[in-house]
Amino acid sequence: MYARLLLVVVDILAPTFDRFCTTVRHLSESSALALGEAADIRLPMNEAIRQGSENPRQTMGLPVLSVVVPTFNERDNVAQLYRKLDATLAGMAWEVVFVDDNSPDKTWQVVRDLARQDSRVRCIRRIGRRGLSGACIEGILASSAPYAAVMDADLQHDETQLPKMLSLLEGGKAELVVGSRYVEGGSADSFDRQRAGFSAFATGLARRVLGVSIADPMSGFFMIRRDKFEQLAPKLSTQGFKILLDIVATAQGELKTVEVPFTFGSRLHGESKLDSMVALDFLGLVLAKFSNDAVSLRFLMFAMVGGTGLFVHLATLFVALEVLNWPFAEAQAAGALVAMTSNFILNNFLTYRDQRLKGFAILRGLFAFYLVCSVGLLANVGVAFSVYDQEPIWWLAGAAGALMGVVWNYAISGLFVWRKR
């Protein structure tokens, strides 16, 4: 009887069990299909990201354009520049990276306040490093977009040209777009006579010596494909102010370049960063590129300072010999000491401007400079005395002694005097 009852129950439940199994099978097949479709979607997405496709960046909300703005004492300008960028780049995925060299006016704090309100604003605060070129390089390498623009914070560059510049890059018509003051439609009427003269001289020199073909290689307003910049970055100098000239000269004509005209405006707040030392920076950069980077810009700057030290040395030597009637050995030592002091001051002000010693560190650095150059000083005096003993021509002996210590002084100065902390 129990067996017959069990058969009846099985007969009743069998259709229900069959329907349950069929449903489970259908669900399993659907899940597998869904997972397969997701995998099919995920594979091309990953492949597109690896290939640098712009569509995934837009989908994930990442910026298409990074605007890099080097700053130093620009607290009154950065907020206004941000508002201009926000209006000009409306509807576009963008970011702005302010690279501040630890401004005494706390520009970096103003930028951080902006960043708290808008995640598209970023701040890189550099301590112990100075220089526009180095700031631009760090800013571009820290950006996250396939295209990077560089412009000043002083509101003199025309931000309304950015969409046009980006369009040229995205359309493949250019790999580098330069905002030019010297093509038809551009203007630099806001320059005073001195700055206009220097700009014209520098542009002409760069075009003749380095073979640069663009009309405005001294411009600080440009946009470049990030992948092209990364290829050039290891060869670029972090010193100096003319990053565009460095890029163009390093590329050696291999960048497809287009210039767009813009009107260079007048500064509203703050002071220009250009000073008399910029001319020497520029000359050092031209010489470095002319030598195909066989020697560094910093070494050339050190050597140029050494050239001024040579004149100081010879002048001191002349006074000591002809006016004070000192013996040659003492006169040569005095010339070397005075020249070393002047070289230290100029190198601290120019060659190592990004690591400039200040306050009490200047005295400590000066004594360290004397100490580490003592071997060079002994060789200087020894060689000069030997030359003078055989041929008593004071300027020849002095020059021979001074040149002896140049390479030694440069090598050890970077290690012990202006070492990065």
Side-chain angles (χ1 to χ4, degrees):
M1 182 178 69
Y2 290 109
R4 184 179 300 172
L5 181 60
L6 180 60
L7 289 174
V8 172
V9 172
V10 169
D11 288 338
I12 294 174
L13 294 179
T16 302
F17 181 74
D18 288 340
R19 285 195 299 273
F20 173 77
C21 292
T22 301
T23 301
V24 170
R25 185 169 62 253
H26 285 167
L27 287 174
S28 299
E29 292 173 354
S30 298
S31 299
L33 180 60
L35 289 172
E37 291 175 348
D40 290 340
I41 293 173
R42 190 163 53 247
L43 286 174
M45 175 69 76
N46 291 337
E47 183 65 25
I49 292 175
R50 283 195 298 270
Q51 296 176 357
S53 173
E54 294 167 20
N55 290 333
R57 291 180 178 274
Q58 295 171 348
T59 302
M60 294 184 291
L62 295 179
V64 174
L65 174 65
S66 295
V67 182
V68 176
V69 184
T71 60
F72 185 73
N73 288 343
E74 299 283 3
R75 65 173 295 121
D76 295 328
N77 292 327
V78 291
Q80 187 172 349
L81 176 60
Y82 160 74
R83 289 192 293 269
K84 286 177 174 286
L85 291 175
D86 191 37
T88 299
L89 303 177
M92 183 187 304
W94 62 278
E95 67 175 356
V96 56
V97 182
F98 291 95
V99 186
D100 186 72
D101 286 354
N102 198 29
S103 297
D105 73 348
K106 296 186 178 180
T107 300
W108 45 270
Q109 186 62 61
V110 177
V111 176
R112 285 180 180 175
D113 292 341
L114 288 172
R116 291 190 184 97
Q117 303 171 24
D118 190 338
S119 60
R120 296 174 300 180
V121 179
R122 297 171 56 195
C123 177
I124 299 176
R125 180 185 176 188
R126 306 198 309 167
I127 297 178
R129 304 190 303 284
R130 290 284 298 275
L132 186 144
S133 292
C136 292
I137 292 171
E138 289 190 37
I140 295 176
L141 294 180
S143 66
S144 55
Y147 307 103
V150 170
M151 63 186 303
D152 291 344
D154 54 17
L155 309 177
Q156 293 179 292
H157 292 155
D158 185 3
E159 77 287 342
T160 63
Q161 297 298 318
L162 291 174
K164 179 180 179 180
M165 298 165 80
L166 180 61
S167 178
L168 290 169
L169 293 179
E170 288 185 315
K173 296 180 180 179
E175 296 167 328
L176 170 67
V177 182
V178 177
S180 177
R181 300 159 293 186
Y182 303 130
V183 296
E184 185 178 356
S187 172
D189 292 341
S190 62
F191 278 179
D192 57 30
R193 180 178 298 179
Q194 180 181 1
R195 188 169 181 182
F198 172 74
S199 180
F201 168 77
T203 298
L205 183 63
R207 297 183 70 176
R208 288 179 177 85
V209 175
L210 301 180
V212 173
S213 60
I214 62 176
D216 194 1
M218 311 304 290
S219 176
F221 182 34
F222 63 91
M223 188 181 297
I224 189 171
R225 279 177 44 176
R226 179 191 166 90
D227 58 341
K228 293 295 181 180
F229 180 84
E230 289 186 344
Q231 293 174 10
L232 299 172
K235 299 180 181 179
L236 300 179
S237 172
T238 58
Q239 282 80 52
F241 285 77
K242 300 305 176 185
I243 179 66
L244 175 62
L245 174 61
D246 198 358
I247 290 173
V248 174
T250 301
Q252 298 181 336
E254 295 183 2
L255 278 178
K256 187 189 301 183
T257 304
V258 174
E259 293 185 81
V260 297
F262 83 101
T263 298
F264 193 80
S266 299
R267 171 179 280 274
L268 298 181
H269 305 286
E271 298 179 356
S272 174
K273 307 304 180 296
L274 298 179
D275 54 34
S276 58
M277 293 296 103
V278 173
L280 290 178
D281 277 339
F282 167 74
L283 183 58
L285 177 61
V286 171
L287 291 175
K289 293 304 171 183
F290 183 71
S291 69
N292 199 26
D293 293 311
V295 291
S296 69
L297 172 58
R298 196 186 293 277
F299 176 78
L300 286 170
M301 299 298 291
F302 192 92
M304 284 192 291
V305 169
T308 67
L310 176 60
F311 287 105
V312 172
H313 182 108
L314 294 178
T316 305
L317 182 61
F318 175 79
V319 171
L321 286 174
E322 303 298 329
V323 179
L324 302 178
N325 294 318
W326 287 4
F328 181 79
E330 286 82 349
Q332 175 69 5
L337 187 64
V338 173
M340 285 172 57
T341 304
S342 68
N343 283 356
F344 171 81
I345 294 172
L346 287 177
N347 280 318
N348 191 53
F349 185 67
L350 175 62
T351 308
Y352 295 94
R353 176 166 24 191
D354 57 328
Q355 300 164 234
R356 185 178 296 168
L357 303 176
K358 298 180 180 180
F360 181 75
I362 293 178
L363 289 177
R364 186 176 64 244
L366 178 59
F367 286 115
F369 192 73
Y370 289 154
L371 180 62
V372 297
C373 293
S374 59
V375 175
L377 176 59
L378 293 175
N380 183 329
V381 175
V383 169
F385 190 83
S386 176
V387 172
Y388 188 81
D389 188 49
Q390 297 183 24
E391 190 68 39
I393 302 175
W394 65 269
W395 60 266
L396 178 62
L403 292 175
M404 173 58 68
V406 171
V407 175
W408 169 266
N409 290 344
Y410 173 73
I412 60 177
S413 293
L415 291 175
F416 297 102
V417 182
W418 288 282
R419 64 185 184 276
K420 291 187 177 181
R421 293 172 174 81

